[in-house]
């Protein structure tokens, strides 16, 4: 965020810029405040005032909800351009307020999913409005600092809100949901009274134009292959909202950390919400330093190095018999995240066709869709089958090591995959396109085959039908089939 003329630049930003950043702070506080403990609440027993769902079912639910927050902005951006940022802000905050509030009073799996889906819809509509406001209220000269402030607000919200959650959950889980609802409800006031529309292009795209652009990008096998490879890192990232929290709850003794803070007069009960605090706090403290270090590093090298650091964080988790090693693992992974991810967008700019860079950058977020769908579901399923049965047993450390090293291996595969991609597919050539299409066609064809097997497993693999497994299978078939259709159209 360092800028030689920072004071003058700060004074140049219009009011809408600052209001948008305040909105971002409160919306991210609501989002990270709840999601820092959501997996714990959903799997806690009735005696612990939770809903008592299985880890596997919660992983499936979270995967769909998080994926929606990445997909909905495609439509949200078009709606904001067409109907106005202010109107869509009011819609987004209304949905967020209602979704968070109602979620706190739902107790069945279907209803909690639907209420969280309302929240996810609001979050998805909100994202492109704020990033669009930042982009349209800054210039080429001031955008660097402007987006630096924007990202700092995201992490500030993620740092502060879980600390408040740590206090609220001691009274009631409902208060956590209500707090997130209040954060969003408060933002209806500046959206209604203070926010002013930034300049927008007169000719806005119709929804069909947006969908047409999406089909074009999704049909580019070379681009999609890069997304698939990079998603391997985000499979690791989404463990921070599921398996990492359950592992802390079931296997890590927080007493040494609590004692260390008590010794300096700070009462602390180290718990799930502090995982998000560590992640955001590490980024707040070190992002400027890390950005300086990798400033002149080629994007691919920085991405590979960042994923490698993230893998090292998961290796730490595999030896996290001590709470201090657990904390170290989260902090190390956070350093990997801040090393790899900013350079990812630079790499997208290199890979994307020269004449369509802006369009392709708009779909660079797809890594989050794949990472959340696979990461959350895989984490929940493996945790329930590998670690849940050994809670409190003597061989739990060996099983835990295998669990975390499995994810570390996925990170290594992503590292190798990126290097191979850069070697064989990064250049925009007919040969690279054809080779990438062959690889993606094989991946797309595999998904329906796996989906059919999952349907059989869900309907006939146990004493009772597992309809959640059938839904997972249907998604796999739809994604694979859709990918095949789009790829064939792109020939």
């Amino acid at each position: 965020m360092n800028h030689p003329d920072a004071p003058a630049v700060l004074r140049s930003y219009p009011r809408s810029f600052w209001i948008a950043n305040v909105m971002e702070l409160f919306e991210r506080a609501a989002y990270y405040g709840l999601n820092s403990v959501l997996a714990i609440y959903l799997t806690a027993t009735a005696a612990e005032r939770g809903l008592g769902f299985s880890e596997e079912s919660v992983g499936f639910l979270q995967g769909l909800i998080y994926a929606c927050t990445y997909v909905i902005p495609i439509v949200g951006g078009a709606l904001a351009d067409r109907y106005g940022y202010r109107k869509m802000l009011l819609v987004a905050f209304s949905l967020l307020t209602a979704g968070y509030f109602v979620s706190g009073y739902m107790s069945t799996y279907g209803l909690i999913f639907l209420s969280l889906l309302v929240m996810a819809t609001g979050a998805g509509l909100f994202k492109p409005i704020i990033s669009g406001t930042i982009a349209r209220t800054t210039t080429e000269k001031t955008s660097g600092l402007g987006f630096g402030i924007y990202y700092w607000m995201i992490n500030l919200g993620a740092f502060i809100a879980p600390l408040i959650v740590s206090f609220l959950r001691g009274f009631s889980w409902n208060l956590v949901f209500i707090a997130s609802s209040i954060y969003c409800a408060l933002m209806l006031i500046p959206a209604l009274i203070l926010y002013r529309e930034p300049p927008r292009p007169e000719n806005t795209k119709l929804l069909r134009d947006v969908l047409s652009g999406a089909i074009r990008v999704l049909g580019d096998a070379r681009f999609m292959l890069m997304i698939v490879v990079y998603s391997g890192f985000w499979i690791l990232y989404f463990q921070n909202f599921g398996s990492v929290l359950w592992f802390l709850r079931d296997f890590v003794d927080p007493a040494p950390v609590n004692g260390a803070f008590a010794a300096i007069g700070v009462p602390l009960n180290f718990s799930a919400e502090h995982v998000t605090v560590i992640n955001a706090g590490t980024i707040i403290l070190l992002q400027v330093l890390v950005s300086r270090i990798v400033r002149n590093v080629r994007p691919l090298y920085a991405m590979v190095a960042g994923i490698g650091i993230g893998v090292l964080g998961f290796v730490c988790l595999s030896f996290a018999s001590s709470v201090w090693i657990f904390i170290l693992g989260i902090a190390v992974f956070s350093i990997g995240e801040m090393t790899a991810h900013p350079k990812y967008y630079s790499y997208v700019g290199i890979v994307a066709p020269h004449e369509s860079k802006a369009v392709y950058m708009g779909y660079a977020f797809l890594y989050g869709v794949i990472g959340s769908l696979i990461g959350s579901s895989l984490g929940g399923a493996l945790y329930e089958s590998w670690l849940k049965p050994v809670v409190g047993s003597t061989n739990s450390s060996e099983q835990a090591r295998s669990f975390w090293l499995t994810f570390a291996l996925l990170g290594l595969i992503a590292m190798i995959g990126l290097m191979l991609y850069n070697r064989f597919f990064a250049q925009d050539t007919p040969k690279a396109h054809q080779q990438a299409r062959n690889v993606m066609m094989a991946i797309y064809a595999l998904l329906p085959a796996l989906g059919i097997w999952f349907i059989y497993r869900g309907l006939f693999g146990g004493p009772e039908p597992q309809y959640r497994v059938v839904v997972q299978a249907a998604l796999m078939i739809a994604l694979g089939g859709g990918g095949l259709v789009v790829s064939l159209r792109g020939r």
Side-chain angles (χ1 to χ4, degrees), residues 218-219 221 437 440-441 444 482-491:
L218 296 175
R437 184 177 289 111
M440 288 305 301
M441 291 285 282
Y444 289 141
L484 287 171
V485 171
V486 172
S487 296
L488 290 172
R489 286 186 59 180
R491 282 185 180 276

Side-chain angles (χ1 to χ4, degrees), residues 53 56-58 60-61 107-114 468:
F53 301 142
E56 183 176 3
S57 64
V58 170
F60 174 66
L61 180 150
S107 58
T108 64
Y109 189 83
L111 290 177
I112 193 74
F113 172 77
L114 290 175
R468 187 191 67 255

Side-chain angles (χ1 to χ4, degrees), residues 282-300:
T282 303
I283 294 174
I284 289 171
L285 289 174
L286 299 179
Q287 181 66 77
V288 173
L289 174 62
V290 171
S291 296
R292 283 182 174 178
I293 292 172
V294 302
R295 179 172 50 194
N296 297 319
V297 178
R298 291 176 61 181
L300 175 75

